[in-house]
Each structure stands twice: as structure tokens, then as C-alpha cells.
């Protein structure tokens, strides 16, 4: 199939792009790598009269190491994120998540901002951003604002972004202390979206007690989520005394409605999710212990 006819716009600046989006209203949509939007247009799951292409916007691309954070332009491709030594050294969870996204052709065109703005419940980057408490920089004709990622995802494929707002950058805190990070997911074939997945960030104090931990879950609800109840129960405990399987069970027991479809029932996803949390927990704690 082909998409319905649309008018193509290629603004030269981000300011021009948001003004166009404001002027054209709900008949317009931004397009970045096109790896999620184009299939939706081709299948006619979405129809827009105007597409505003973000690829000429140089201010949306790049990776910049700052004092205690790494800024990544929303238009930076998954491949560029995956190849970056700064990301590998300072935000290893993001680096490790990247090869799990689709295939290399998709990673060469898809962008980190597109992935987070698209807010697919089974996508890796939204869960990584939640786990690392990233901040999202947003531009509209009314100016700039920053949104904490915990407030960003509002439901299936929906976010806090208004129609005329663009994500311009994502700010990730840099790892500090004795940290470990891991992502685990289960998909039927390499490159498929995960049936269920988990991300873990853990920090140990000098006595190997857990002084910070974050557990993200994806593919297990309408949006990626944090397993907050499990996190709270783990703080202050000696890492060696925690059974990873218990972490997995507690993490999924706090979930609300879990999707059930031809790829797996809700019960199956919960069991896979618990196993992914347990695996990721074990690896993250091992890494932090070796640090
Ligand atoms: P687009 O498709 O261009 O846009 C997606 C949405 O985001 C649109 O609504 C658009 O308006 C909005 N948007 C884009 N950029 C911005 C911005 N800067 N500000 C505001 N809104 C914006 N993803 C995974 O995470 N894991 C996978 O395993 C995976 N597998 C895939 C397999 C296949 C076969 C395909 C085709 C895609 C797969 N993807 C997967 C999706 C891929 O990661 C996309 O690249 C990503 O979801 C969207 O990025 P994009 O730049 O292509 O965005």
C-alpha cells in the first residue's frame, strides 16, 4: 500500500518547524527517521495532510558530554548512539540497549527522539530513559521547557507533548559510584519488538548495600514503567542477600493490566517479565560488585 497524499515540508530550523506545526494544526505531523511513522502511514493506520521533516535540523543532532550528564539531540540516530564512546562510558545502559532495537537498517534511520516521542510500550529507549531518570527538552512556539521522563508517557503511544511541540534533546545523568546496568528482553526473533523486557540500574555503597536502584519494565503494559514497589523494598539491603527471582516476582506483581495478544497471554508475559528482571538484576549487581 501507499500512504495517502500529503504535503511535504522541510524546515531549516527547529523554530520554523514548531511554527509550522502550530500553523498546520492536527493535520500535520513531524517525521524524523520515519521508521515508525512511515509504516503507520503506509498501512493507513494514520493519515496526515502535512509531514514536517526534521532531518535538516542540525541542532537536533549530536552527543555532548557535560559535567554530570550527557546530552543527546533528539534527531540522533540509534546507530550514532550505539557507536558513541561517550555514551558507552557514561550511559552504558543506553549503549547496551541499542543493538536490541530492530535491525541495522532501522537503527541507521530511526532516532532516539522519535523512539521516545512515539512511546511504544515495547520499545527499549523509553524504558532506559525511565530507568535513568532522563530529562526531556522540548521546544514549541511558546518557548522551551523540560519534562522529567517520569511525567512524559501518558498511555499507549501517547505523551505529554502538545501537537506543536518537538523533543529537541534528552539529558541522561552520568553514572556515578559503584554502579551496574543491564537490559534483558525476550523476543521471538532477533530484531522483533520484545514480548517482555527489563532494565536495571543499581548502585552499591562501600559495604555492598543497595543505595540506589531502578527497574524498568517494557512490553508489559500500555507504557514502559518503573517497578517502584520492588525498588523501595531493595534499598538498604545487602546485595548478596537478595534473590534475583524474588526481585522479578515483586517487580511484576505491582503491574496493572498486562497486554494479552497472539504473541503471548498476560500471564505468560508476566512470567517472562519476572525472568527478565531476575536476569538483568543478577548481571547489574555483578557489574556493580566488580566496580
Ligand atoms: P518517526 O517514525 O519519524 O516518528 C515516530 C513518531 O515520533 C511520530 O509520531 C513523530 O511525529 C514523532 N517524532 C519523531 N521525532 C520527534 C521529535 N523530535 N519531537 C517530537 N515528536 C517526534 N523500536 C524499538 O524500540 N525496538 C525494536 O525492536 C524496534 N523494531 C523495529 C522493527 C521494525 C521492522 C521497524 C520498522 C521499526 C522498529 N522499531 C523498533 C522502531 C524504531 O526504533 C523507530 O526508529 C522509532 O520508534 C521511531 O523513530 P523515528 O526517528 O523513525 O521516528
Amino acid at each position: 500500500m501507499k500512504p495517502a497524499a500529503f504535503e511535504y515540508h522541510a524546515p531549516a530550523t527547529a523554530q520554523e518547524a514548531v511554527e509550522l506545526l502550530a500553523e498546520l494544526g492536527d493535520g500535520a505531523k513531524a517525521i524524523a527517521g520515519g521508521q515508525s511513522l512511515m509504516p503507520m502511514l503506509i498501512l493507513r493506520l494514520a493519515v496526515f495532510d502535512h509531514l514536517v521533516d526534521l532531518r535538516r535540523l542540525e541542532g537536533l543532532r549530536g552527543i555532548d558530554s557535560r559535567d554530570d550528564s550527557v546530552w543527546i539531540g533528539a534527531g540522533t540516530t540509534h546507530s550514532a548512539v550505539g557507536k558513541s564512546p561517550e555514551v558507552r562510558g557514561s550511559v552504558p545502559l543506553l549503549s547496551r540497549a541499542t543493538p536490541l532495537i530492530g535491525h541495522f537498517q532501522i537503527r541507521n534511520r530511526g532516532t532516539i527522539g522519535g523512539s521516545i516521542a512515539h512511546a511504544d510500550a515495547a520499545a527499549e529507549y523509553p524504558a532506559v530513559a525511565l530507568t535513568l531518570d532522563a530529562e526531556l527538552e522540548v521546544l514549541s512556539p511558546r518557548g522551551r521547557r523540560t519534562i522529567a521522563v517520569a511525567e512524559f508517557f501518558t498511555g499507549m503511544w501517547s505523551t505529554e507533548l502538545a501537537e506543536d511541540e518537538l523533543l529537541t534533546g534528552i539529558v541522561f545523568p552520568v553514572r556515578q559510584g559503584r554502579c551496574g546496568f543491564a537490559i534483558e528482553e525476550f523476543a521471538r526473533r532477533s530484531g522483533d519488538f520484545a514480548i517482555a523486557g527489563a532494565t536495571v540500574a543499581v548502585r552499591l555503597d562501600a559495604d555492598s548495600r543497595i543505595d540506589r536502584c531502578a527497574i524498568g519494565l517494557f512490553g508489559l503494559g500500555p507504557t514502559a514503567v518503573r517497578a517502584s514497589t520492588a525498588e523501595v523494598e531493595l534499598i538498604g539491603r545487602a546485595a548478596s542477600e537478595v534473590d534475583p527471582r524474588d526481585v522479578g516476582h515483586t517487580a511484576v506483581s505491582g503491574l496493572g493490566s498486562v497486554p494479552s495478544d497472539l504473541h503471548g497471554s498476560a500471564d505468560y508475559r508476566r512470567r517472562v517479565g519476572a525472568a527478565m528482571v531476575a536476569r538483568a538484576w543478577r548481571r547489574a549487581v555483578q557489574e556493580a560488585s566488580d566496580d
Side-chain angles (χ1 to χ4, degrees), residues 4-284:
F6 55 81
E7 201 173 320
Y8 174 80
H9 305 264
T13 66
Q15 190 63 35
E16 211 182 297
V18 291
E19 278 163 17
L20 254 177
L21 288 169
E23 182 191 319
L24 298 169
D26 63 7
K29 197 77 176 157
I31 181 162
Q35 298 304 293
S36 293
L37 188 56
M38 278 318 291
M40 294 181 89
L41 297 176
I42 288 165
L43 294 168
R44 309 259 174 134
L45 295 171
V47 176
F48 292 99
D49 297 330
H50 301 270
L51 289 190
V52 177
D53 194 342
L54 308 181
R55 275 178 302 174
R56 288 177 62 200
L57 311 184
E58 286 186 12
L60 260 62
R61 281 194 295 275
I63 296 172
D64 184 19
S65 274
R66 299 173 178 174
D67 288 347
D68 51 5
S69 62
V70 174
W71 177 89
I72 304 183
T76 308
T77 62
H78 307 330
S79 295
V81 171
K83 286 180 191 149
S84 160
E86 290 98 327
V87 175
R88 201 174 310 125
S90 301
V91 198
L93 186 59
L94 189 62
S95 208
R96 292 169 195 173
T98 303
L100 301 175
I101 302 175
H103 307 278
F104 72 86
Q105 295 92 335
I106 290 149
R107 297 194 292 271
N108 284 344
R109 296 195 78 95
T111 65
I112 186 168
S115 174
I116 291 176
H118 188 59
D120 193 300
E124 288 82 1
Y125 282 165
V128 169
L130 272 175
T131 304
L132 298 179
D133 292 322
E135 290 196 329
L136 308 176
E137 295 178 349
V138 171
L139 177 72
S140 78
R142 297 168 295 288
R144 295 184 182 275
R145 66 178 178 131
T146 301
I147 307 176
V149 72
E151 285 151 28
F152 188 71
F153 302 110
T154 52
M156 178 108 64
W157 294 313
S158 61
T159 71
E160 270 296 314
L161 286 180
E163 273 165 11
D164 60 355
E165 281 186 315
L166 281 183
L167 204 50
T168 53
I170 302 106
V171 181
F172 290 94
V174 161
R175 53 171 295 165
Q176 270 161 3
R178 291 180 72 201
C179 295
F181 303 91
I183 177 165
E184 289 283 346
E185 68 176 42
F186 179 74
R188 289 188 60 198
R189 298 171 305 188
S190 162
D192 281 3
F193 275 100
I195 288 174
T199 45
V200 170
V202 64
R203 190 173 68 193
L204 303 181
D205 66 16
D207 300 322
S208 292
R209 290 189 177 276
I210 299 155
D211 81 347
R212 182 187 181 271
C213 73
I215 302 170
L217 301 167
F218 54 104
L220 287 159
T223 68
V225 286
R226 283 272 291 268
S228 314
T229 311
E231 292 171 9
V232 170
E233 286 183 13
L234 287 160
I235 300 296
R237 292 182 60 191
S240 58
E241 286 168 11
V242 174
D243 183 338
R245 289 167 301 183
D246 292 342
V247 181
H249 289 306
T250 314
V252 300
S253 66
L255 287 168
S257 91
V258 173
S260 200
D261 56 29
L262 78 168
H263 300 298
S265 65
D267 180 52
Y268 174 71
R269 279 177 202 270
R270 276 180 194 276
R271 282 186 285 135
V272 173
M276 295 304 108
V277 172
R279 276 189 205 172
W281 180 264
R282 197 174 285 118
R283 284 184 42 217

